[in-house]
Amino acid sequence: MARTIQSLERAAAMLRLLAGGERRLGLSDVASALGLAKGTAHGILRTLQQEGFVEQDPASGRYQLGAELLRLGNSYLDVHELRARALLWADDLARSSGESVYLGVLHQQGVLIVHHVFRPDDSRQVLEVGAMQPLHSTALGKVLCAYDPVAHSQLLEAEREAFTASTVTSLPDLEGVLDLTRARGWAADVEETWEGVASVAAPIHDRHRMPVGAVGITGAVERVCEDGELRAQLVAAVRDCARAVSRDLGAGRF
């Protein structure tokens, strides 16, 4: 069995303890409940406080959960709400387009696939939920970078590998691609990440009009493109899906 880190176990136990009560807890309460020396408990509490996971009441000196945990919790809930709101619309998009549908969010300088609807045929397919895609070359990634300042800053720091001869890697050229994405409201990937594969994606916004993800379709170039251009009806279907999910998240009309 892999060894665990005792200090992290104690910190986790401390957070659970503070989450379980309806009142603030003092240092002695925390130390006693967890069977720790006061000095040890105090050191862990101070570290958690510095990171924003714990707050100390100035008047009483007692501790409670901090705002950073709320932010992280809301981020987790936002992703799950996004997926829940997108389920029906993603299924409809797969049926109408005949292609695979992907829902992605920004994660660790890449795109995390949080929902995947198979292409509605009898072909063998692999579920890609949990897979990561690059920011610079995929349609999902370009959409996130065009609309989310955090994604854009991560694009500048991330390695931009040339996966094919069509991959755009230089920053000036990528900035031009992002400008075009914002101007028309969608992004394309025609054999920039995988040979013979094309994608189109559009942004999803929440009730604050903030970008929270992207939805897109992916398929063989000969099906998704016509005369070298993405099929207009597929672009329209993806944009309609993104707008529908955004409306369900409270964004209103775009």
Side-chain angles (χ1 to χ4, degrees), residues 32-249:
S32 177
L34 299 180
L36 300 174
K38 283 188 178 181
T40 301
H42 187 240
I44 296 173
L45 283 169
R46 286 197 61 176
T47 301
L48 291 172
Q49 184 180 359
Q50 289 172 0
E51 296 299 323
F53 297 135
V54 165
E55 295 176 356
Q56 186 178 30
D57 179 58
S60 65
R62 292 177 174 269
Y63 295 90
Q64 63 183 21
L65 294 180
E68 182 64 13
L69 278 178
L70 178 62
R71 186 189 69 81
L72 292 177
N74 282 341
S75 175
Y76 175 83
L77 291 173
D78 285 347
V79 169
H80 283 262
E81 182 183 5
L82 170 63
R83 183 177 181 276
R85 298 287 186 178
L87 290 177
L88 177 62
W89 299 111
D91 286 344
D92 286 347
L93 178 58
R95 281 193 294 269
S96 65
S97 68
E99 302 295 344
S100 300
V101 175
Y102 295 88
L103 184 70
V105 299
L106 178 66
H107 181 68
Q108 295 181 350
Q109 294 187 343
V111 183
L112 174 66
I113 303 302
V114 296
H115 187 53
H116 174 200
V117 183
F118 285 162
R119 185 172 63 255
D121 59 20
D122 296 327
S123 62
R124 185 175 180 179
Q125 300 173 64
V126 178
L127 186 66
E128 296 187 43
V129 172
M132 293 291 294
Q133 294 186 2
L135 286 173
H136 69 287
S137 63
T138 61
L140 293 172
K142 293 174 192 176
V143 163
L144 293 175
C145 292
Y147 289 90
D148 185 345
V150 176
H152 183 267
S153 66
Q154 291 189 10
L155 173 68
L156 305 182
E157 301 171 0
E159 181 181 353
R160 297 181 295 278
E161 181 180 348
F163 300 107
T164 73
S166 300
T167 308
V168 178
T169 58
S170 76
L171 281 178
D173 290 342
L174 278 172
E175 292 293 358
V177 170
L178 299 184
D179 286 342
L180 178 61
T181 298
R182 283 185 287 266
R184 63 189 183 183
W186 54 275
D189 165 12
V190 180
E191 297 189 278
E192 293 181 52
T193 310
W194 303 280
E195 296 281 358
V197 177
S199 304
V200 57
I204 296 172
H205 297 80
D206 66 8
R207 61 185 178 277
H208 304 297
R209 298 296 182 96
M210 297 296 294
V212 293
V215 64
I217 61 169
T218 296
V221 171
E222 58 267 25
R223 296 195 307 268
V224 178
C225 297
E226 183 176 24
D227 297 329
E229 299 291 335
L230 287 159
R231 294 179 183 271
Q233 65 269 31
L234 294 180
V235 173
V238 170
R239 297 192 70 190
D240 287 344
C241 178
R243 291 190 190 102
V245 178
S246 297
R247 286 196 299 269
D248 277 3
L249 289 170

